[in-house]
Amino acid sequence: MSSRKIKNMEEFAAVSGISRPTLSKFFNDPTSVRSSTRKRVEAALDRYDYRPNLYAMNQNRRLTKNIGVVVPHLADPFFAKIARTIEEHILRQGFRPVLLGSHGSPEMELENLENLRMLKPAGVLLAAFGRSSDHAQIQTFTEDVPTVLFDANIEKVGKAFIGSNNEQSVDLIVDYLCRTGEPPAFFEMKDPMNPNAYKRRAAYVRAMERLGQTPHLIQVGGEGWEFEEIGFREGTRVIRDRSLPSKTILCSNDRLAIGLLSAIFEAGMSVGIEAGHDFRVAGHDDHPFSRFTCPRLTTVSQDYEAIAEKSATTLLALIEADDSLDSRTETLFDGKLVLRGSA
């Protein structure tokens, strides 16, 4: 046996090369892991001076009926609508939702997760920032608490991801815009926080090339979650500089499109599907406010209801299985074209 004293399961996982979730499964029930894995754990226990604190493990398993729901920004009606649907489903199943917003801050995202950890939740539904999230810290959290990600994916983190099929939805609206008028340029933030934005950028380029068109990316500056402000400010700039390569503009999300519509109006120009207008503008998401712009915004919808319900049912199944599902799953829902007056 090694003379080194191992203090906790994290340290034992590091020296043995066996993941912490696998070790937890073994110590809770040795028969729940493969025989080859069981032999590896037993060999590591013989080699290193470590014995798990079974009392602490049992305490940790005395979980509440709370389910954490963490979203990037509760003030965003998109996340508020999904969270509300998740909340209703969780309540029907006898659990208590604990809804937390991260106020556009990755640091607050981690603080929310740590606060939830102290509540010993049965599970957590997380709409992560994605690119700007602390992936290592979130990974550690999901190894301790059953977690399902929705809206924004972080590869290999959590037991499941549920979101939109950006490849399909962007291809759908690019095809429509090319069939009905001048091919679209793509208006986006150069360095977006959400990984969905990168997927949409790549999907736009592939769709344009598939249709034999030249992609045009209008990449603008801006940080944070104030998309309407960025769309208005940067839209004003590109209109003033006459740097728009097309009179058809597809925005990476509806909130940028709302800002761009305002910038076009302020410039004394018009948007619409009919001949004689200066621009056509389309978005993505079917944001709750998109039906109230002037003109009303053509977009492609995310299936809010399906994403929310699938996220909740997946987490509840994970809790029912005592966090013992072996493989991570991903579920993507197709978008639908929503035709309105802007394009």
Side-chain angles (χ1 to χ4, degrees):
M1 177 180 286
S2 168
S3 60
R4 178 180 175 182
K5 177 68 175 177
I6 305 299
K7 298 177 182 177
N8 52 47
M9 197 181 300
E10 285 79 5
E11 194 173 336
F12 183 57
V15 297
S16 67
I18 302 167
S19 72
R20 193 185 187 287
T22 299
L23 291 172
S24 294
K25 287 176 66 177
F26 172 84
F27 290 127
N28 286 324
D29 178 9
T31 64
S32 67
V33 300
R34 297 186 180 93
S35 59
S36 58
T37 302
R38 188 160 61 248
K39 290 175 182 177
R40 285 181 62 207
V41 176
E42 291 168 349
L45 288 170
D46 288 340
R47 181 178 178 186
Y48 297 104
D49 184 12
Y50 173 70
R51 289 295 177 271
N53 185 336
L54 296 178
Y55 172 76
M57 289 176 63
N58 287 333
Q59 284 293 97
N60 287 336
R61 296 184 71 192
R62 293 174 191 168
L63 302 175
T64 67
K65 296 287 281 185
N66 295 327
I67 288 180
V69 183
V70 182
V71 299
H73 217 301
L74 276 173
D76 187 328
F78 172 83
F79 289 110
K81 186 171 182 178
I82 289 183
R84 190 161 56 245
T85 306
I86 287 174
E87 207 172 24
E88 291 169 357
H89 192 82
I90 289 171
L91 286 168
R92 286 198 299 269
Q93 303 304 315
F95 288 85
R96 293 183 297 270
V98 179
L99 183 59
L100 299 171
S102 299
H103 306 296
S105 165
E107 292 75 24
M108 178 64 77
E109 180 175 73
L110 288 182
E111 187 174 328
N112 283 335
L113 293 179
E114 287 309 307
N115 287 337
L116 284 171
R117 189 195 294 272
M118 290 187 288
L119 293 176
K120 297 187 185 302
V124 168
L125 289 162
L126 171 63
F129 286 105
R131 184 178 65 86
S132 56
S133 294
D134 188 325
H135 292 196
Q137 292 276 18
I138 293 177
Q139 174 73 58
T140 299
F141 176 86
T142 62
E143 290 174 355
D144 295 332
V145 180
T147 304
V148 169
L149 273 64
F150 68 98
D151 182 64
N153 196 9
I154 300 177
E155 297 295 332
K156 300 180 181 179
V157 172
K159 286 298 178 70
F161 168 70
I162 292 90
S164 292
N165 185 348
N166 288 294
E167 187 76 25
Q168 176 270 342
S169 59
V170 172
D171 187 85
L172 184 68
I173 197 162
V174 169
D175 180 78
Y176 163 74
L177 292 171
C178 287
R179 283 189 290 105
T180 55
E182 189 175 354
F186 192 67
F187 186 85
E188 62 164 352
M189 293 165 63
K190 184 178 180 180
D191 298 304
M193 297 178 69
N194 193 301
N196 286 327
Y198 290 96
K199 290 183 172 66
R200 292 173 190 176
R201 175 191 298 170
Y204 161 77
V205 171
R206 283 191 289 269
M208 290 288 282
E209 291 175 344
R210 178 182 64 79
L211 295 168
Q213 304 291 343
T214 301
H216 293 287
L217 300 176
I218 307 168
Q219 297 184 319
V220 302
E223 297 181 352
W225 218 257
E226 302 303 322
F227 299 119
E228 293 89 353
E229 180 182 335
I230 293 167
F232 176 75
R233 182 187 68 239
E234 295 302 309
T236 299
R237 180 182 60 79
V238 296
I239 292 169
R240 182 195 63 220
D241 296 345
R242 300 181 183 277
S243 57
L244 290 169
S246 171
K247 292 184 177 181
T248 301
I249 311 297
L250 172 60
C251 297
S252 180
N253 63 61
D254 286 348
R255 292 183 60 191
L256 281 174
I258 290 169
L260 178 61
L261 287 174
S262 183
I264 293 170
F265 176 81
E266 287 287 310
M269 306 173 90
S270 65
V271 173
I273 194 169
E274 300 89 358
H277 288 289
D278 297 292
F279 293 101
R280 294 191 304 160
V281 174
H284 190 292
D285 292 337
D286 196 21
H287 189 279
F289 291 167
S290 65
R291 70 193 65 183
F292 302 115
T293 58
C294 186
R296 301 200 307 153
L297 185 65
T298 287
T299 184
V300 59
S301 68
Q302 295 196 55
D303 194 337
Y304 296 85
E305 298 289 333
I307 291 170
E309 184 170 342
K310 180 66 174 178
S311 299
T313 57
T314 300
L315 180 63
L316 292 170
L318 182 62
I319 294 167
E320 182 70 23
D322 197 22
D323 196 23
S324 62
L325 302 181
D326 291 329
S327 60
R328 186 180 191 268
T329 62
E330 293 190 9
T331 304
L332 302 179
F333 289 94
D334 287 350
K336 295 180 180 179
L337 199 58
V338 181
L339 299 180
R340 300 191 180 110
S342 70

